[in-house]
Amino acid sequence: MSAADESDALLENLIAKEILPQSGNWEGTEEFLNRIVQVLLKYIKDQNDRDQKILEFHHPDKMQMLIDLSIPEKPENLLKLVKSCEDVLRLGVRTGHPRFFNQISCGLDLVSMAGEWLTATANTNMFTYEIAPVFILMEKSVMTRMWEAVGWDPEKADGIFAPGGAIANLYAMNAARHQLWPRSKHLGMKDIPTLCCFTSEDSHYSIKSASAVLGIGADYCFNIPTDKNGKMIPEALEAKIIECKKEGLTPFFACCTAGSTVYGAFDPLERVANICERHKLWFHVDAAWGGGMLLSPEHRYKLAGIERANSVTWNPHKLMGALLQCSACLFRQDGLLFQCNQMSADYLFQQDKPYDVSFDTGDKAIQCGRHNDVFKLWLMWKSKGMEGYRQQINKLMDLSNYFTRRIKETEGFELIIENIRNLEPAEMRARLEKIAPKIKAGMMQRGTTMVGYQPDKQRPNFFRMIISNQAITREDLDFLIKEIVDIGESLE
């Protein structure tokens, strides 16, 4: 019998309760984990092979027939579990593929992945120092680097890792309200003036969502117009603040975006900071996407003025390439998070512990249990150092500039719409609306590449190109252009 057959035979006769931790069967435990690792290693290898497809697309009704996702009444053997893992990865989308450009969070940094594996194995909750002593200190060390990158004094700053940029933005708005009206923590919106806040019309929807969740109301989160490049217009912001005051509202929070979702635009932070100081508003910068630019001396000028912010959202799982989720909400003022969120649960956060209880960070979080999002970032950052990240960010910016040049000089993109160029504007827009979805469908059927599309207020559907995977090369970008042209020319 071959080694593979012996492995199959062993696992086919085992179920989960017959390996660790419920059984002392180390041989079976080791064999099962080794097989899972082999599944993962094959996936990693295939994902980085440009000859492999990004996906085998199937419509939902067909997909349900290709994989058994049901929960059985009786336990399945470990061999079936291994096969199920193979099916899940085989039928999924390889988001780490160098020709996957469809979302902001893509790529697979192997050191970050190793950190995620170690995190899952340690399975540590990040609410007290007694439970997670090394990881609590690790979080502080990583955030110190981030505070320094923003331009704040690390001795006076604070922050927390949150489950995504949307929650980080919620942390920021909640802290802003608490600073202005601390009684809202206990009394809600009672006896508080009608608050309002501001964000650009091209900002992430989570700012409006935070306003809704906090009881301020989505309708009192005002969208400020942007210019043709997607940047907030400061004069429009100030005019709206003045208008709101005249109407009896109390402006308290303004959000700038540093790297907007659609255009990657950077709002004019310095000018907005001046307005916020003039009107005494909390100044928040949503740098979920663009925060990584702070690690490049050559490109951090795009965030000039961010050091004047009261709070900053920064997602290392985007431009920095950490695995999902990895998001931080950073605060210029230390202590505010504790004041805002502390509930002093005496079954967790006793004050007479035999160490400095200020390291029990759970009481400054709006959640109780908190996943250890920092291990993978810390390990990845150590593997690159500050210089490595400088080079990585600069490479991505170089690729972006290269792609822009290639688009401008590629006639094929003109040929796709050549036949509709002389149509009336309304008809042209209607025809253009249909082209990007058809090309995207062609990409998914071929499985060779993937890029997102969407319309905006001024334009019909267009491709939204994202370059954040450190594995991308100029050849991959050339391939994408060729595929779009090729599929576009084949459209009827």
Side-chain angles (χ1 to χ4, degrees):
M1 182 182 294
S2 68
D5 290 338
E6 289 180 0
S7 174
D8 285 355
L10 175 61
L11 296 182
E12 194 171 22
N13 291 294
L14 287 175
I15 59 176
K17 73 175 185 178
E18 294 170 342
I19 60 173
L20 290 175
Q22 297 183 64
S23 165
N25 180 2
W26 175 247
E27 180 187 7
T29 301
E30 187 175 30
E31 186 60 36
F32 172 64
L33 292 178
N34 280 332
R35 287 290 294 272
I36 292 295
V37 169
Q38 290 305 311
V39 171
L40 292 171
L41 291 177
K42 183 180 185 304
Y43 180 77
I44 292 166
K45 181 176 182 293
D46 290 346
Q47 184 167 245
N48 285 277
D49 182 352
R50 287 169 172 80
D51 292 331
Q52 295 280 339
K53 289 186 175 182
I54 290 176
L55 79 161
E56 291 283 353
F57 178 74
H58 302 282
H59 289 284
D61 56 344
K62 179 69 180 298
M63 180 70 83
Q64 291 176 341
M65 299 170 62
L66 295 175
I67 184 169
D68 181 10
L69 298 175
S70 63
I71 305 298
E73 289 295 328
K74 295 184 178 180
E76 289 190 344
N77 66 62
L78 298 184
L79 181 61
K80 282 189 176 181
L81 295 186
V82 171
K83 300 296 185 184
S84 293
C85 291
E86 291 175 337
D87 289 341
V88 168
L89 294 181
R90 176 175 55 83
L91 293 170
V93 179
R94 292 177 171 140
T95 60
H97 195 287
R99 291 174 179 169
F100 179 83
F101 308 99
N102 202 75
Q103 65 187 35
I104 290 176
S105 306
C106 57
L108 181 64
D109 186 289
L110 293 185
V111 176
S112 182
M113 182 196 71
E116 187 68 78
W117 287 2
L118 293 164
T119 297
T121 303
N123 195 30
T124 303
N125 202 325
M126 291 282 288
F127 51 52
T128 63
Y129 178 83
E130 64 185 285
I131 296 299
V134 177
F135 297 132
I136 293 290
L137 297 177
M138 182 185 293
E139 184 176 49
K140 180 72 175 290
S141 178
V142 168
M143 281 197 295
T144 295
R145 274 297 193 187
M146 299 176 85
W147 296 327
E148 290 171 344
V150 171
W152 292 339
D153 182 350
E155 297 298 321
K156 299 179 180 178
D158 199 1
I160 190 118
F161 275 81
I167 303 300
N169 286 334
L170 176 65
Y171 267 108
M173 189 178 291
N174 193 34
R177 182 179 63 177
H178 180 82
Q179 185 186 58
L180 183 64
W181 298 99
R183 287 169 60 82
S184 65
K185 173 179 176 178
H186 304 284
L187 302 177
M189 301 300 285
K190 182 181 179 182
D191 297 329
I192 291 178
T194 303
L195 303 179
C196 63
C197 54
F198 311 89
T199 191
S200 93
E201 61 185 352
D202 290 336
S203 69
H204 194 267
Y205 73 89
S206 59
I207 302 300
K208 263 193 184 300
S209 175
S211 187
V213 169
L214 292 173
I216 294 161
D219 287 351
Y220 288 97
C221 180
F222 296 106
N223 289 334
I224 306 302
T226 55
D227 62 21
K228 63 180 181 179
N229 296 315
K231 299 181 179 183
M232 180 193 290
I233 301 171
E235 294 80 6
L237 170 64
E238 186 153 34
K240 189 63 179 178
I241 292 172
I242 294 170
E243 177 187 328
C244 288
K245 288 180 176 180
K246 289 180 179 178
E247 293 178 356
L249 302 178
T250 302
F252 81 107
F253 178 97
C255 172
C256 272
T257 305
S260 62
T261 303
V262 179
Y263 293 114
F266 288 75
D267 289 338
L269 306 187
E270 289 279 17
R271 295 171 65 190
V272 173
N274 291 338
I275 293 170
C276 288
E277 288 181 5
R278 195 153 51 239
H279 293 276
K280 296 181 172 53
L281 270 64
W282 180 283
F283 178 35
H284 175 65
V285 177
D286 181 358
W289 167 238
M293 302 275 258
L294 293 169
L295 304 181
S296 166
E298 292 83 357
H299 294 282
R300 66 164 292 134
Y301 69 90
K302 292 180 180 291
L303 296 100
I306 193 171
E307 71 282 355
R308 299 173 65 185
N310 298 98
S311 56
V312 171
T313 290
W314 181 349
N315 287 6
H317 69 238
K318 292 180 178 173
L319 201 54
M320 291 178 71
L323 269 63
L324 287 164
Q325 291 269 17
C326 191
S327 306
C329 190
L330 310 174
F331 292 85
R332 189 171 64 188
Q333 177 185 338
D334 190 14
L336 187 60
L337 269 177
F338 269 119
Q339 297 167 21
C340 179
N341 299 314
Q342 188 175 37
M343 290 296 163
S344 302
D346 57 11
Y347 51 86
L348 283 177
F349 308 117
Q350 303 92 340
Q351 298 303 295
D352 55 356
K353 293 180 179 180
Y355 58 83
D356 182 352
V357 294
S358 68
F359 286 92
D360 285 355
T361 58
D363 216 10
K364 64 181 181 182
I366 57 176
Q367 47 196 124
C368 177
R370 193 160 62 89
H371 182 258
N372 177 7
D373 291 323
V374 74
F375 195 176
K376 58 198 170 193
L377 174 59
W378 172 81
L379 197 65
M380 180 180 69
W381 210 333
K382 284 182 75 70
S383 76
K384 301 176 191 291
M386 299 299 288
E387 178 58 26
Y389 259 119
R390 171 179 175 264
Q391 294 174 7
Q392 179 174 316
I393 300 300
N394 288 351
K395 176 194 172 187
L396 294 174
M397 295 306 106
D398 175 71
L399 288 171
S400 178
N401 291 330
Y402 172 79
F403 186 74
T404 301
R405 292 197 306 270
R406 291 284 290 112
I407 287 293
K408 289 180 178 179
E409 65 191 26
T410 302
E411 295 183 358
F413 281 85
E414 296 178 3
L415 291 174
I416 293 173
I417 60 172
E418 187 70 36
N419 294 330
I420 63 174
R421 184 158 300 176
N422 296 319
L423 297 176
E424 292 295 322
E427 186 178 356
M428 180 185 290
R429 184 180 180 92
R431 296 280 293 276
L432 283 171
E433 280 285 342
K434 300 176 183 178
I435 290 177
K438 287 184 177 180
I439 294 176
K440 173 67 174 289
M443 290 178 184
M444 295 177 70
Q445 289 297 333
R446 293 186 181 190
T448 52
T449 189
M450 216 167 173
V451 63
Y453 70 86
Q454 69 177 80
D456 73 357
K457 58 184 179 296
Q458 299 169 337
R459 302 172 180 85
N461 280 318
F462 58 90
F463 288 113
R464 180 166 69 96
M465 180 65 182
I466 297 166
I467 300 175
S468 62
N469 184 347
Q470 58 188 298
I472 295 171
T473 65
R474 292 188 174 193
E475 289 73 24
D476 295 319
L477 301 177
D478 291 337
F479 179 86
L480 173 65
I481 294 172
K482 184 178 180 299
E483 280 289 273
I484 292 176
V485 172
D486 185 48
I487 296 171
E489 288 179 339
S490 70
L491 295 178
E492 297 181 357

